Amino acid sequence: MDLATVVGVALGFALVLTAILLGGDVVSYLNAPAVLIVVGGATAATMASQPLAKFLKFPRVIAKTLFAKTPEPAMVIKQIVALAEVARRDGILALEGMIGEMQDEFLVHGIQMAVDGTDPEVIQSVMETELENLLDRHEAGKGMLDALGMYAPAFGMIGTLVGLVAMLSNMDDPSKIGAGMAAALLTTLYGALLANIIFCPLADKLALRSAEEAFLKTIVIHGVMSIQSGDNPRTVESKLITFLPPAQRVALEEAKAA
Amino acid sequence: MDLATVVGVALGFALVLTAILLGGDVVSYLNAPAVLIVVGGATAATMASQPLAKFLKFPRVIAKTLFAKTPEPAMVIKQIVALAEVARRDGILALEGMIGEMQDEFLVHGIQMAVDGTDPEVIQSVMETELENLLDRHEAGKGMLDALGMYAPAFGMIGTLVGLVAMLSNMDDPSKIGAGMAAALLTTLYGALLANIIFCPLADKLALRSAEEAFLKTIVIHGVMSIQSGDNPRTVESKLITFLPPAQRVALEEAKAA
Amino acid sequence: MDLATVVGVALGFALVLTAILLGGDVVSYLNAPAVLIVVGGATAATMASQPLAKFLKFPRVIAKTLFAKTPEPAMVIKQIVALAEVARRDGILALEGMIGEMQDEFLVHGIQMAVDGTDPEVIQSVMETELENLLDRHEAGKGMLDALGMYAPAFGMIGTLVGLVAMLSNMDDPSKIGAGMAAALLTTLYGALLANIIFCPLADKLALRSAEEAFLKTIVIHGVMSIQSGDNPRTVESKLITFLPPAQRVALEEAKAA
Amino acid sequence: MDLATVVGVALGFALVLTAILLGGDVVSYLNAPAVLIVVGGATAATMASQPLAKFLKFPRVIAKTLFAKTPEPAMVIKQIVALAEVARRDGILALEGMIGEMQDEFLVHGIQMAVDGTDPEVIQSVMETELENLLDRHEAGKGMLDALGMYAPAFGMIGTLVGLVAMLSNMDDPSKIGAGMAAALLTTLYGALLANIIFCPLADKLALRSAEEAFLKTIVIHGVMSIQSGDNPRTVESKLITFLPPAQRVALEEAKAA
Amino acid sequence: MDLATVVGVALGFALVLTAILLGGDVVSYLNAPAVLIVVGGATAATMASQPLAKFLKFPRVIAKTLFAKTPEPAMVIKQIVALAEVARRDGILALEGMIGEMQDEFLVHGIQMAVDGTDPEVIQSVMETELENLLDRHEAGKGMLDALGMYAPAFGMIGTLVGLVAMLSNMDDPSKIGAGMAAALLTTLYGALLANIIFCPLADKLALRSAEEAFLKTIVIHGVMSIQSGDNPRTVESKLITFLPPAQRVALEEAKAA
């Protein structure tokens, strides 16, 4: 998880805590049953909406996607252009020896198919299927965060309704009405906090990470297809460089000059 | 229905029940007319939105989809590769003898067409039409759960409005205001519970199940087309394996090695 | 309108009426100005959003779509296969004599074009344009029900705000506050009832009906194209049968055997 | 603006006014600052969301689209068939003399290109680009009405919050609480009225008008392409007539017979 | 940022300030912790939803897009037609000398490729990829404004809940209830103001700017492709002019005549 997410989530909770401390004592805001109904209820509803195997596997998928370091697009392009140079100079078979040094499995798979002389249409279709299925798995992970972000406020409201009914059924002692209302509102507060500080931002983050990975893999697909078709390294580069924003193109040029 | 859904729904209700017990007596939360208006109203509105034949058939469609066991993609791929080996060794007609052992009707239909020498484009189009229509039927089933998930809270609100009007029209005895409000809120609570613990999670589950089945059937279509075109078993496998996440690919390799 | 819609709407109102009778007297719930503002306002806003000619024609379009009996897909397939048999045996021109007996104008138009020797691409394009325009007209009808379903609760809220302002401006007699609030809430109740018992379910029903008709017409298009291309009746049937769910396929087989 | 819109908007306001008069005096409902904050705020937010040039031009675009009379599709088809007859009899160049009589600039442009012997693909692409850009301009006009329809209730809520804070900060005189609340609610009422009686219905109307114009222009494109390709007038008619609903087709036949 | 946005945002705040001054003193509306929780919370949640690098770069992307002056489409067309004239008269290589005078990098890149004799399909694909990636970057910038527009009201509600719980837990002194409620509502007010006066309008503006730039770049792509294919200047112009609304076409004609 990069710094922004850690800092953002921590900052969100710190701000709410500050607001609470400025307004009174923290004790009125702590309520174990309220935590139970919001966290437990949202988890239960999300679990009910998922096949068991997926529900158990999701946390790992999410963690992996959030923590994984995505390489810089410019670095990936540099690497592909280097491969194109070798392929041009020593023939495409020479790339086989370089596979051991590559870290991106997706690139390895593509180059391997090119080296094996696989039909270009098959290479493209296999790589695109692989990318599509990866995105489907990310989408499923995002689906769980979206569900949590939707069910947390819903169970917050359910908890508040339960509390209101309890309070309204026992209004003999008017001095307790305020405390009863306050307790009832806590679940709504918890639901809103969980949804807006954790679940919804993480779901958005996951979607951006997934888009970044799709973007990188699209560059790799274009690169492998270009190498396979025997393009000269300069053509490969000029095809791939259009994926970069102008600023990064300059950075790439400078990296090359250095 | 796999364990996650059963546990999730039960857990959801148990949590809300716990919250109720912690806050007071259960009796204040039981109200037959409130059940009637929320469950009955949501069912009536959903029925009004459906042709009768579909409304009566949906429960079965939903149950079937939720309870049906979907085979593992890796197992399906293994089976198709086995068919490809037979087709390669003994000719495609040899597959006819194996049809009796297959359990997946969709696969049987595809292989039967391939054995019959049906035109490949017709095979693909027939199988895709069949898949599309299956998805439409699932979508219709999901539509009913979505409708219930939308109308339950709506009738919850209608019940609360009916209760509020009754209470506000008879405010002579202030001591009854609290109880009246509490009773009025119960329908909103019921609507929120039904929507968030049952209808919405099941609708999501149905969509995931449908996607899983579409995914499996897409693998089968690719497999049948690949066998029909006379691909060698290794090509069939390498085409289908791209549908699996990396972890399952390893599992498949190990299963083969074993 | 098939039974489900009639029963569903009636049941919805009966349930709400029961809830009202259980809670007090019906009189508090009747309010002519509230009916006026909700029904009138929703109608006025919907009218403002439509060209006059369409607004006046919509009720008929809606009624026609809801009441029209859609034939069973299996029956339509049987009829097309019968046509294919005649075309195969006696030539496509022999179909001209059968046009008089057909009831589906869309099928008649397709067969007529086939008999006239119209170019197959033109037949397909003409039939698809016709289907598309039919769906556009249904969509427009659904649009009016959607508008009513959106504006009814909106005018319910407007009525409640008008009532609240009236009540709050005249709070001299506290004993009238309850009755004022009750009256103000009635428009919200009416808006919710109309939207959730009538407008939204009917809009959904219309969409399902439209989908059913599109489904049937798609079968007809495939059937006419198949007959036109001289397919033998068995091929026509095996192409069309994929549109049916497995259960109906069996029914079709049995109907044929009978 | 056709009658439906004028009547609908007027009726909507008349109904709300009636409800106000039935419930009390109109004076409590008039509040200049409330008008200012809702109308001004919604206009300011909409202006902030638009480039200045577009913001100033939109009213004209909207007025033009709402007031413009769209010709009947059947009349347009009749006119195109008449052109096809001339083209068939006297050659396509004979159409040049008829351009002066045509009122639809879009048709004139298409016929002019056909007369000039422009490549059919270019004609189609130029006409489709023109249609697409027209729809984009309509979409932009609708966007401003949508924005107004979204910001009016938002500023209504902002005004109510401002009023509530003012009232709650000065609760020394309880007799003024009611009047304060009433005044605070007025902005919410105004926002709801503007959105539901004017902005949202007009936005929908604009979309329908745009769809109507797109529909007409699609008929013109098909007609011009058909004339250009030298189709005989009967073919041109049978191609275009599929765009009409069955009832209008009969009307067209009768018009021809007359 | 063009005038409309500056004026719109300023006007929005001025109107709300006026409403506040009319209703009481400004002091009740100022609350540092409320600013902290709404602005800080929305920023924290948005930061958590973004990779750090993007979060830090977004303000620049947004500023650049809002402030950048987009040239008039008619001027761009005029410039491209001028290039077409030179290409027609002196050959396409003559355009190389004119590149220095051009300001639009996108046009320069396209012309450069045409001069270099790059394959037309490659030119089109490279330019379209570049446009697509530019739109993706704009979309990402809009995503941050959308997130702020969603989280600001959410943290407004969170702040109000925190304040309500504080107030309800300490209701010993009834005279402070009003002030407590007023303070609690301020965060909701702040959230609504920020979302509806700043974040949502700017997000819409960014989308319109992005569409404008896409529109211009589409004209440039069509123009470069037309020049590259050796079209004569009049054809180039008639192809591009269809992108303009009728009024601007006249302006272009007049500009040419002048």
Side-chain angles (χ1 to χ4, degrees), chain B residues 103-176:
Chain B
Q103 299 191 340
D104 180 352
E105 278 184 39
F106 188 71
L107 177 58
V108 166
H109 191 188
I111 293 294
Q112 184 68 59
M113 285 191 290
V115 168
D116 291 355
T118 313
D119 192 54
E121 274 157 46
V122 173
I123 300 183
Q124 179 147 11
S125 136
V126 161
M127 292 184 89
E128 280 172 358
T129 306
E130 206 160 326
L131 171 54
E132 221 168 89
N133 289 312
L134 176 80
L135 295 181
D136 282 354
R137 289 194 298 276
H138 286 180
E139 188 62 36
K142 181 175 185 308
M144 193 171 86
L145 283 171
D146 284 335
L148 287 168
M150 186 183 82
Y151 289 122
F155 277 86
M157 194 191 79
I158 287 174
T160 296
L161 287 167
V162 168
L164 284 179
V165 171
M167 185 205 77
L168 290 165
S169 311
N170 293 290
M171 298 215 307
D172 305 330
D173 181 354
S175 73
K176 287 194 182 155

Side-chain angles (χ1 to χ4, degrees), chain B residues 12-29:
Chain B
F13 278 111
L15 282 165
V16 174
L17 191 65
T18 310
I20 288 174
L21 288 169
L22 286 171
D25 63 320
V26 183
V27 178
S28 330
Y29 294 88

Side-chain angles (χ1 to χ4, degrees), chain B residues 11 36 40 46 49 76 116 140 160-161 163 167 196 214 220 243 252:
Chain B
L11 188 59
L36 196 77
T46 302
S49 73
V76 171
D116 291 355
T160 296
L161 287 167
M167 185 205 77
N196 290 296
V220 170
F243 282 93
L252 188 64

Side-chain angles (χ1 to χ4, degrees), chain D residues 33 36-37 39-41 43-55 57 60 105 109 122 125-127 129-130 133 136-137 140 147 150-151 154-155 157-159 161-171, chain E residues 2-5 7-9 11-12 15-16 18-20 22-25 28-29 177-179 181-182 185-186 188-189 192-193 195-197 200-202 204-205 208-209 212 215 238-239 242-246 248-249:
Chain D
L36 196 75
I37 202 169
V39 176
T43 308
T46 303
M47 186 197 262
S49 72
Q50 306 281 339
L52 187 55
K54 288 216 170 143
F55 180 73
K57 235 182 295 172
R60 222 180 41 189
E105 277 185 41
H109 191 189
V122 172
S125 135
V126 161
M127 292 184 88
T129 305
E130 206 161 325
N133 288 312
D136 282 354
R137 288 194 298 275
M150 186 183 84
Y151 289 122
F155 277 87
M157 194 190 80
I158 287 173
L161 286 167
V162 168
L164 283 179
V165 171
M167 185 205 77
L168 290 164
S169 310
N170 293 290
M171 297 215 307
Chain E
D2 73 8
L3 209 57
T5 301
V7 172
V9 170
L11 188 59
L15 283 165
V16 174
T18 311
I20 287 173
L22 285 170
D25 62 321
S28 331
Y29 293 88
I177 292 180
M181 277 282 297
L185 285 181
L186 280 184
T188 294
L189 176 59
L193 285 176
N196 289 296
I197 299 188
C200 296
L202 284 195
D204 288 349
K205 180 85 160 216
L208 285 176
R209 276 291 167 106
E212 258 176 33
F215 180 73
S238 75
K239 274 185 186 174
T242 55
F243 282 93
L244 297 181
Q248 283 185 36
R249 285 179 212 171

Side-chain angles (χ1 to χ4, degrees), chain E residues 2-141:
Chain E
D2 73 8
L3 209 57
T5 301
V6 177
V7 172
V9 170
L11 188 59
F13 278 112
L15 283 165
V16 174
L17 191 64
T18 311
I20 287 173
L21 288 169
L22 285 170
D25 62 321
V26 182
V27 178
S28 331
Y29 293 88
L30 296 180
N31 189 322
V35 174
L36 196 75
I37 202 169
V38 173
V39 176
T43 309
T46 303
M47 186 197 263
S49 73
Q50 306 281 339
L52 187 57
K54 288 215 170 144
F55 181 73
L56 296 175
K57 236 182 294 173
F58 275 153
R60 222 180 41 190
V61 170
I62 291 167
K64 198 177 149 197
T65 318
L66 290 176
F67 287 92
K69 268 198 95 62
T70 327
E72 281 295 307
M75 290 305 96
V76 172
I77 292 176
K78 234 177 109 177
Q79 186 183 12
I80 292 171
V81 172
L83 292 173
E85 274 158 10
V86 173
R88 187 74 170 191
R89 206 178 48 224
D90 308 330
I92 199 159
L93 293 181
L95 294 178
E96 186 135 43
M98 299 175 70
I99 283 177
E101 305 160 30
M102 302 181 202
Q103 298 190 341
D104 180 351
E105 278 185 41
F106 188 70
L107 177 58
V108 166
H109 191 190
I111 294 294
Q112 185 67 59
M113 285 190 290
V115 168
D116 292 354
T118 311
D119 191 55
E121 275 156 45
V122 173
I123 300 182
Q124 178 147 10
S125 135
V126 162
M127 292 183 89
E128 281 172 358
T129 306
E130 205 160 328
L131 172 53
E132 221 168 89
N133 288 312
L134 176 79
L135 295 181
D136 282 353
R137 290 194 297 275
H138 285 179
E139 188 63 35

Side-chain angles (χ1 to χ4, degrees), chain B residues 50-59 61 140 144, chain C residues 2 208 211-212:
Chain B
Q50 306 282 339
L52 187 57
K54 288 216 170 144
F55 180 73
L56 296 175
K57 235 182 296 172
F58 275 153
V61 169
M144 193 171 86
Chain C
D2 73 10
L208 285 176
E212 259 176 32

